[in-house]
């Protein structure tokens, strides 16, 4: 496959940045999107150019490090797929592909396609935990959990914090990420003591980071590689309103 | 109330007040099909509701104050959330493709603005009679029938466009209110979305029936 790439290049946080066009030839349809970029980067290095910086780690779709907006869609048009698990067979030979970083004020560009997602860490630090006495692990069956709650909590817990929801949201909202983390804990018995204070702390931190508000467009859940459902946001709203009406 | 979630809750509650008003308003409009007298009596009854326990127009004025407050708060929340959203994405995408099918979700702000402009016109036309051929000192039914006269077909057209926009606004807005207040969940979502669609469609049909009937001469 031969492709034309239009990639966002930005040498550092203060650089204005621009789209640069590259030709990539002899791409195997079995390559992942990141491997295709690796091929281009090897050539750029040989030619004495600066390789395109992008985040990646496990390349198995479970770590949440990779992510870029491909042809206007976070992680590309293949549903429920991270960029590292997106394969070149989903593209046409001779296609032009536009690649941009996540765009949000709380996710400043570090370099090229790499953005700083520390804002997510601070939302987690605000309340995305349960305070339990450390010690030996309790027996797995000592606290009963309803099967439905366990399933829903697990669905929410599959969030890998990649930030695609923010990138896709027309408002630059982090509601799906924050809601997934809140729902994951608020459905389980261990999360109950801090349930209400957690929702308030995490939502307030989300606001403080400068993320936009949710308008329920559903763009986030459509691009989420883990398919986190929109009703986690209803759960977050419910917990948050309880925190503010008590 | 200052947080983004708080503002969303304000939008949901004030939106609900306006939807309840629209349902009553639509039912009232349909009185025109029972004749001008029926419509005028209804308009009079609105002003004399709970008389003589309370003075003339007490209930109606109270409702009007509640409505104006709802409109102002709804717009305040919408504007401040839109500004927050603008600040959250200072650099736009070169290419951006929507992945969630519902186009109605993307015209909420534009739709709301258009509806607000329309409401100004609507009040000048049928409430204050400023731009109505019959003027303020006329029977409500006369204003309505003269307002949608075939010669003023463009007024009917403005009305049709505005009502359809209200319908689209509510198709997303009504479900959205439940989501914002935390009452939506996986089991209820299908029903809530269907209910929002049916409510929006019902309001569009109910609001369009009288003016179209007048313009096409069904109601004289």
């Amino acid at each position: 496959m031969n492709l034309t790439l239009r990639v966002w290049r930005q040498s550092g946080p203060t650089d204005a940045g621009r789209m640069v066009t590259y030709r990539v030839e002899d791409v195997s349809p079995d390559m992942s999107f990141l491997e295709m970029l690796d091929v281009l980067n090897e050539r750029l290095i040989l030619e004495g150019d600066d390789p395109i910086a992008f985040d990646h780690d496990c390349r198995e779709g479970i770590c949440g490090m990779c992510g870029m907006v491909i042809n206007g869609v976070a992680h590309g048009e293949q549903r429920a797929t991270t960029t590292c698990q997106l394969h070149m067979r989903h593209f046409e030979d001779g296609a032009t592909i536009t690649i941009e970083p996540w765009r949000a004020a709380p996710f400043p560009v570090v370099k090229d396609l790499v953005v700083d997602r520390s804002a997510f860490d601070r939302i987690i630090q605000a309340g995305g935990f349960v305070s339990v006495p450390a010690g030996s692990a309790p027996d797995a069956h000592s606290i009963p959990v309803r099967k439905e709650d366990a399933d829903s909590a697990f669905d929410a817990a599959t969030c890998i914090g990649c930030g695609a929801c923010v990138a896709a949201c027309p408002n630059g909202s982090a509601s799906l990420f924050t809601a997934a983390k809140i729902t994951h804990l608020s459905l389980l018995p261990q999360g109950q003591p801090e349930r209400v204070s957690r929702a308030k702390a995490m939502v307030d931190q989300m606001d403080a980071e400068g993320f936009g508000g949710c308008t329920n467009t559903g763009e986030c859940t459509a691009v989420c590689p883990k398919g986190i459902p929109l009703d986690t946001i209803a759960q977050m709203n419910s917990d948050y309103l309880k925190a503010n009406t008590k | 109330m200052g947080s983004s979630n708080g503002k969303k809750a304000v939008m949901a509650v004030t939106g609900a007040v306006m939807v309840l008003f629209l349902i009553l308003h639509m039912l009232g409009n349909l009185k025109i099909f029972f004749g001008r007298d029926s419509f005028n009596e209804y308009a009079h009854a609105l002003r004399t509701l709970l008389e003589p326990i309370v003075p003339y127009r007490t209930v109606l004025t109270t409702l009007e104050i509640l409505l104006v407050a709802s409109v102002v708060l709804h717009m305040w929340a919408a504007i401040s959330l839109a500004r927050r959203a603008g600040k959250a994405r200072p650099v736009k995408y070169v290419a951006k493709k929507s992945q969630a099918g519902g186009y109605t979700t993307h015209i909420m702000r534009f739709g709301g603005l258009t509806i607000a402009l329309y409401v100004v016109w609507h009040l000048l036309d049928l409430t204050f009679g400023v731009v109505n051929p019959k003027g303020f000192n006329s029977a409500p039914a006369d204003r309505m029938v003269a307002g949608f006269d075939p010669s003023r077909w463009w007024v009917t057209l403005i009305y049709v466009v505005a009502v359809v926009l209200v319908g689209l606004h509510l198709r997303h807005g009504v479900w959205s209110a439940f989501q914002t207040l935390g009452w939506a969940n996986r089991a209820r979502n299908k029903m809530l979305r269907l209910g929002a669609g049916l409510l929006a469609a019902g309001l569009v049909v109910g609001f369009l029936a009288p003016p179209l009937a007048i313009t096409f001469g069904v109601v004289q």
Side-chain angles (χ1 to χ4, degrees), chain A residues 36-196:
Chain A
M36 183 272 296
L37 287 176
D38 290 338
V39 168
L40 171 61
N41 275 346
E42 279 174 11
R43 197 191 83 205
L44 291 179
I45 291 166
L46 285 176
E47 288 169 356
D49 254 342
D50 198 17
I52 300 163
F54 59 88
D55 262 332
H56 61 103
D57 191 12
C58 75
R59 299 206 179 196
E60 292 178 348
I62 53 172
C63 78
M65 273 307 279
C66 67
M68 45 196 83
V69 174
I70 301 163
N71 287 338
V73 183
H75 289 302
E77 279 190 82
Q78 191 70 13
R79 291 264 167 141
T81 306
T82 54
T83 304
C84 63
Q85 289 296 305
L86 175 66
H87 288 84
M88 298 316 294
R89 53 180 164 270
H90 297 299
F91 294 88
E92 303 265 327
D93 187 19
T96 299
I97 305 173
T98 307
I99 309 172
E100 296 172 81
W102 290 168
R103 292 287 188 205
F107 285 171
V109 173
V110 177
K111 190 180 179 191
D112 299 334
L113 303 172
V114 178
V115 298
D116 179 359
R117 287 169 290 186
S118 310
F120 271 10
D121 298 338
R122 290 187 290 271
I123 292 175
I124 293 292
Q125 281 161 13
F129 49 80
V130 288
S131 304
V132 289
S136 60
D139 286 338
H141 63 300
S142 60
I143 305 171
V145 183
R146 285 195 328 138
K147 170 79 170 125
E148 297 79 25
D149 289 343
D151 286 349
S152 296
F154 190 78
D155 281 352
T158 57
C159 168
I160 52 178
C162 63
C165 45
V166 175
C169 177
N171 306 308
S173 172
S175 286
L176 194 68
F177 166 77
T178 310
K181 299 304 175 191
I182 287 174
T183 302
H184 153 209
L185 296 173
S186 77
L187 290 177
L188 297 174
Q190 293 85 345
Q192 296 312 310
E194 288 150 307
R195 179 171 180 171
V196 169

Side-chain angles (χ1 to χ4, degrees), chain B residues 31-53:
Chain B
K31 291 269 179 193
I32 197 72
F33 287 108
F34 297 99
R36 293 191 188 207
D37 289 343
S38 168
F39 189 80
N40 288 335
E41 276 165 27
Y42 156 74
H44 183 68
L46 278 181
R47 284 153 183 80
T48 55
L49 215 60
L50 289 188
E51 260 194 313
I53 301 166

Side-chain angles (χ1 to χ4, degrees), chain B residues 76-188:
Chain B
W76 163 77
I79 291 167
S80 74
L81 282 167
R83 287 180 59 173
R84 169 175 265 279
K87 277 187 209 145
R89 176 152 307 134
V91 183
K92 307 286 173 237
Y93 288 106
V94 173
K96 185 81 176 78
K97 210 186 276 177
S98 171
Q99 292 297 292
Y103 64 97
T104 55
T105 61
H106 298 283
I107 60 162
M108 292 304 277
R109 286 171 190 148
F110 163 77
L113 196 68
T114 314
I115 293 164
L117 287 175
Y118 162 74
V119 167
V120 173
W121 162 265
H122 186 56
L123 291 175
L124 289 176
D125 183 12
L126 294 172
T127 306
F128 302 113
V130 180
V131 291
N132 188 285
K134 293 285 179 184
F136 181 69
N137 290 314
S138 56
D142 294 348
R143 276 205 296 280
M144 186 173 181
V145 174
F148 294 115
D149 189 81
S151 64
R152 284 175 32 115
W153 58 270
W154 50 275
V155 173
T156 309
L157 189 67
I158 292 175
Y159 190 92
V160 169
V161 171
V163 168
V164 169
L165 273 172
V166 170
L168 294 177
H169 199 78
L170 294 189
R171 211 186 102 195
H172 177 65
V174 170
W175 169 77
S176 206
F178 282 92
Q179 170 83 358
T180 298
L181 295 175
W183 297 336
N185 62 35
R186 224 173 295 187
R188 282 186 218 152

